[in-house]
Amino acid sequence: MDFEFFIVKKIAFSGKKSFSAFIIRIAMVAVVLSVSTMIVAVSFVNGFQTEIRNKVFSFWGHIHILPYSLSRTYNEEGTYRYQSFVEKLRKDPTVAHIQPMVVKGGLIKTKDAFDKIVLRGINDEFNWKVFNTYLVKGKAIGGDSAARSKQIIISTTTAKRLKIDLNDKAVIYFPSNTNTTARAFRVSGIYETGIEEFDKDFAITDMGILQDINHWGKDTVTGFEVFLTEKNLFKSRAKSYALLFGNSVIPEETYNQWLIDPIDDISKQMSYDIDNLSLEAISIKDLNPGLFDWLNLQTMNELIILILMILVAGINMITTLLILVMERTTMIGILKAIGANDFSIRKLFLFYGLTILIIGVLLGDFIGIGLCLLQQQFHLIQLPQESYYLKYAPIVLDWKAIFAINTGTILLILSALLLPTHLAKRITPIKAIRFN
């Protein structure tokens, strides 16, 4: 055993009460709080981004294939439903599911209110298993074609705004350049995703009724929704952190490459693979840029918390080691007198700091992970869904991120501790004895 480690073991766990012992406890508490806060912050932001993205993807799919439009909005143009690329995508292992859709805007009128609405027409290929998780009342659209054409599923937001409920009737008007078509619907279900951008506008109905209103045949649709099997559709956390510093830190070519998410590459490649120049593949991220930009902003908040917590722990540890060096001046002088060199003295205090750090990090892990597991299990922290799109604070534990927090905390603070240990080098045996 190295004599430096032996001495640290003796003085660190001696249990002797002193001012330095009190300061060590404060430093350890700072490390514990910093590490636990970082774990909770990273797990919450990770959970928040994951849950919101999953909600959007499960409701709308990952990529939409639509007629080319400069405005990238749903228009009145249709496309042939049974195209060759559809079957190719169904056989593609990266594609979990593909389904046609018809989207049409209108005005909904009830006994007490009148408002705009966007109908999303679906058919038997629609993935009800996923959508049923958002169905809070009623049931999926079903029955024969006549019954299906009269059913509509609205959101809780629309139901409250129009003051209608399950089985109530509503009339939807579809204006066009020549005339206005009206159709009566019965509310067969009410859904809630919690994402206001979707809930306030969209309703679900049968595709056939919208095709009839558009004077389309059964083989014409607005486009296709593509659901992917790939889970890692966004850039890594490390790249997101680096991008926040701009191209002044990262080479411009690398910076521009890192700006692109994997989902962007997939949609771009899908556009190339489609054998129809009038169609393009657009990621849902590009169709809803405001929502995804807002989610990306959470990464900046996360990074700010990480930097602040590292600074808090680091400053406390540096202060603690300075006090330890001052308190152990006599010991340093004696060790030098019996032949210890400056490197051994510095290593001794670095071991001392490392001991405090490791204990603090392990306790921080225990508390941080424990708090995350409690939130996962009992949803103790509730959120206003109208503001955050979720009813409670979501938690996703990323063990790689936790390992990175532990390793980064130890390495960064240990590097900072080289400064106070340098002071021990300037202490001579004679001065140390006089100091005593």
Side-chain angles (χ1 to χ4, degrees), residues 351-375:
F351 277 161
Y352 206 159
L354 183 61
T355 302
I356 299 169
L357 263 177
I358 290 175
I359 294 173
V361 166
L362 291 176
L363 288 174
D365 285 347
F366 178 77
I367 294 173
I369 295 172
L371 291 173
C372 289
L373 292 175
L374 283 174
Q375 176 62 19

Side-chain angles (χ1 to χ4, degrees), residues 21 31 43 55 62 78 112 117 127 134 180 213-214 221 236 242 245-247 261 371-372 375-377 381 392 426 428:
V31 174
S43 300
K55 272 193 174 188
H62 297 87
D112 300 313
I117 197 163
N127 191 346
Y134 302 117
T180 298
I213 293 168
N214 283 338
V221 294
S236 67
F245 294 99
N247 55 9
D261 287 311
L371 291 173
C372 289
Q375 176 62 19
Q376 272 187 336
Q377 186 68 30
I381 301 174
Y392 58 87
R426 304 176 65 180
T428 62

Side-chain angles (χ1 to χ4, degrees), residues 56-71:
V56 174
F57 293 147
S58 61
F59 188 79
W60 271 118
H62 297 87
I63 295 172
H64 285 192
I65 299 174
L66 301 167
Y68 182 79
S69 170
L70 292 175
S71 60

Side-chain angles (χ1 to χ4, degrees), residues 8 26 67 90 100 123 136 151 192-193 204 213 293 308 397:
V8 169
I26 292 177
R90 285 200 171 105
N123 67 352
V136 294
Q151 297 174 37
E192 181 181 42
T193 66
I204 310 293
I213 293 168
D293 287 344
L308 288 176
L397 285 167

Side-chain angles (χ1 to χ4, degrees), residues 93 114-115 167 169 228 335:
F114 191 84
D115 207 350
N167 296 318
K169 292 183 179 179
L228 302 174
L335 289 174

Side-chain angles (χ1 to χ4, degrees), residues 202-274:
F202 288 95
I204 310 293
T205 190
D206 183 61
M207 182 186 294
I209 185 68
L210 299 183
Q211 289 171 324
D212 290 342
I213 293 168
N214 283 338
H215 304 292
W216 291 350
K218 300 299 180 184
D219 57 357
T220 304
V221 294
T222 301
F224 304 88
E225 297 170 348
V226 181
F227 296 79
L228 302 174
T229 56
E230 177 61 46
K231 301 299 181 184
N232 299 316
L233 295 171
F234 294 88
K235 62 182 70 71
S236 67
R237 182 170 265 100
K239 287 183 180 178
S240 298
Y241 290 161
L243 288 171
L244 292 174
F245 294 99
N247 55 9
S248 58
V249 177
I250 310 168
E252 187 172 355
E253 185 178 350
T254 304
Y255 179 82
N256 292 331
Q257 289 177 350
W258 286 4
L259 282 174
I260 301 171
D261 287 311
I263 192 172
D264 298 321
D265 287 330
I266 294 172
S267 62
K268 186 177 180 181
Q269 184 59 48
M270 198 171 287
S271 287
Y272 289 143
D273 294 339
I274 295 172

